[in-house]
Amino acid sequence: MKKVFVNGYGSIGSRITQFIAGDSDIEVIGVGKYSPDDKVSDAISRGYGIYVPKSKLEQFKNFKISGTIEDALEKCDLVIDASPGGNGYTNKKNLYEPKNVRAIFQGGEKITGEKAVAEVIFNSRVNYVEAFDKKYVMQGSCNVTGMGRILQPLKEKYGKKIKRFDATLLRRWADLEDSKTEVKDSIEWTRKPHHNEDVKSYMGKDTPLFIRAFKVPTRQMHVHSMDVRFNETAPTPSEILDLFKNEYGIAILYTAKGTKDIRDFAETIKFSFKDTNMIHIHADMLEVQDDVVKITYSDDQTGIVVPENHLLMQAMLFKRNQNDAFKHTEELFHMEEKKKILEEHFSTK
């Protein structure tokens, strides 16, 4: 049994902790908390140890604390850094490197430049085994993760027949439970979005991918509009849908009216955190025009990276066979069952 510490208990950290706590191969030492808020009580009620910075012990005097962040790092085999974007590098330098502990970082950090947290971005569909001997690995953001699930099957099937990928990312403004962030009445664009280079880092630098990114006033998932241009007549819509039919973590939906429609249904079915943990290809929006396939899909923001973290954890801690790792993740997340439920509800029947 391996010991894991989750440093941060926000949108991503709370999800990861609650899922991996059910993994019989893992002992969750506890979670790192930096603010004495309601999340502390939630974590304690679930039986997780609470570890805080030495400098903030006094702030947590009204809670039952298990120790400091440094105490937790002394005990663990791996830390999953789920701190807010940009803090991962500081944690790496001040905490993980001095303690010589392996770490997984989340999207929002960098893999190039002075503040790089790792050399590789993980995508289970593309480079699973590359994480085996790495000490530090970054799990891609939700947008970056989702694009790998779409691009890799296309690349494997059609290869050099594809001329280029042009994608427009419509990003949600804030997570559902992020009450501190105001959702502004504005559509904002990102100059030189990091997603392009992040995806190319694991798909290959020569991948003909071009991305525009916009942030829109919603908390209900991301939507990607992707044009795939071929060097010849493009495949038919049915050929494209057949390609993704059996892909793990991809559901093909026909009658969803919008992202909230999917999220609301997930809530009625009692999916954890209202998450589907997957990509949803909207088949009613799929079009082919001459040499271009136009694909629209929604990306389950925070939810999509949680099973990816579990797969990455298996690669780093156990060097587990990829098929076995997917089977083990499925035991915790039940994504095949979720996929079936979603596809039946949003079918044309």
Side-chain angles (χ1 to χ4, degrees):
M1 181 176 287
K2 298 292 186 179
K3 297 180 179 181
V4 175
F5 172 59
V6 182
N7 194 8
Y9 194 71
S11 294
I12 292 180
S14 60
R15 286 167 162 83
I16 290 173
T17 307
Q18 290 181 39
F19 276 106
I20 69 172
D23 188 336
S24 59
D25 295 333
I26 296 296
E27 177 188 344
V28 178
I29 291 174
V31 300
K33 278 296 297 173
Y34 293 77
S35 300
D37 53 26
D38 292 342
K39 283 283 191 177
V40 180
S41 298
D42 177 80
I44 291 174
S45 71
R46 297 177 187 276
Y48 308 141
I50 304 296
Y51 295 84
V52 305
K54 287 181 181 178
S55 61
K56 294 188 176 183
L57 281 169
E58 182 64 21
Q59 296 180 29
F60 288 83
K61 63 182 180 181
N62 294 325
F63 298 98
K64 184 179 179 181
I65 302 302
S66 298
T68 66
I69 300 290
E70 290 81 0
D71 293 334
L73 296 178
E74 291 284 357
K75 305 174 186 177
C76 73
D77 298 295
L78 174 76
V79 56
I80 299 178
D81 186 288
S83 59
N87 291 336
Y89 176 77
T90 301
N91 289 342
K92 177 185 176 182
K93 288 298 179 184
N94 295 343
L95 297 170
Y96 312 147
E97 286 185 341
K99 295 292 185 181
N100 194 32
V101 62
R102 285 177 287 181
I104 293 172
F105 298 91
Q106 306 304 313
E109 304 298 334
K110 300 180 183 299
I111 60 166
T112 58
E114 294 181 356
K115 294 190 176 181
V117 295
E119 296 178 351
V120 61
I121 292 179
F122 177 79
N123 187 285
S124 64
R125 185 59 179 82
V126 183
N127 63 349
Y128 175 83
V129 298
E130 193 174 342
F132 278 12
D133 295 309
K134 295 291 189 296
K135 189 168 187 178
Y136 303 114
V137 181
M138 178 175 148
Q139 170 58 54
S141 69
C142 32
N143 289 288
V144 171
T145 296
M147 294 197 76
R149 292 189 188 178
I150 295 294
L151 293 175
Q152 186 66 11
L154 288 165
K155 183 178 180 180
E156 290 174 355
K157 174 73 174 180
Y158 298 108
K160 294 187 179 299
K161 292 181 180 179
I162 296 175
K163 187 175 183 179
R164 59 186 285 160
F165 302 95
D166 291 280
T168 299
L169 277 54
L170 304 177
R171 301 167 53 217
R172 61 93 178 90
W173 199 285
D175 286 322
L176 291 169
E177 49 285 280
D178 183 4
S179 59
K180 296 179 181 179
T181 300
E182 177 190 0
V183 177
K184 298 179 182 179
D185 184 14
S186 177
I187 296 175
E188 295 187 356
W189 43 89
T190 303
R191 296 171 179 83
K192 297 181 179 180
H194 68 87
H195 312 85
N196 206 68
E197 293 307 313
D198 283 358
V199 174
K200 285 184 176 182
S201 74
Y202 63 76
M203 288 295 302
K205 294 294 184 182
D206 60 345
T207 301
L209 173 65
F210 305 89
I211 292 177
R212 295 185 181 94
F214 299 87
K215 189 160 66 170
V216 299
T218 179
R219 298 178 187 270
Q220 308 280 354
M221 303 191 193
H222 307 286
V223 171
H224 297 178
S225 177
M226 182 181 291
D227 292 348
V228 187
R229 186 175 295 277
F230 287 76
N231 287 314
E232 53 191 38
T233 302
T236 65
S238 62
E239 288 175 320
I240 295 297
L241 293 177
D242 283 345
L243 175 64
F244 292 105
K245 183 178 180 181
N246 297 315
E247 281 289 328
Y248 189 73
I250 293 182
I252 298 175
L253 313 184
Y254 285 85
T255 59
K257 299 180 180 66
T259 53
K260 190 175 187 299
D261 201 16
I262 303 168
R263 183 75 72 191
D264 287 350
F265 178 68
E267 183 176 17
T268 66
I269 302 300
K270 306 301 181 185
F271 289 173
S272 298
F273 299 98
K274 306 181 189 179
D275 293 340
T276 69
N277 305 116
M278 64 186 71
I279 289 293
H280 322 99
I281 293 179
H282 299 290
D284 55 323
M285 295 287 288
L286 181 65
E287 295 182 331
V288 173
Q289 184 176 20
D290 299 326
D291 59 345
V292 178
V293 174
K294 302 177 181 180
I295 303 173
T296 299
Y297 61 92
S298 50
D299 179 314
D300 188 25
Q301 59 201 72
T302 309
I304 199 173
V305 304
V306 181
E308 285 286 300
N309 270 271
H310 186 251
L311 287 160
L312 174 52
M313 183 183 71
Q314 293 182 76
M316 293 180 71
L317 286 178
F318 304 107
K319 297 185 181 180
R320 185 166 280 151
N321 171 277
Q322 187 170 5
N323 288 334
D324 291 340
F326 272 91
K327 289 178 183 177
H328 191 45
T329 294
E330 179 62 17
E331 291 172 0
L332 297 178
F333 289 87
H334 308 292
M335 287 169 63
E336 291 294 346
E337 180 183 355
K338 293 177 182 177
K339 174 176 178 172
K340 182 179 180 181
I341 291 171
L342 285 165
E343 291 185 338
E344 287 179 351
H345 181 76
F346 292 106
S347 71
T348 56
K349 297 178 182 178

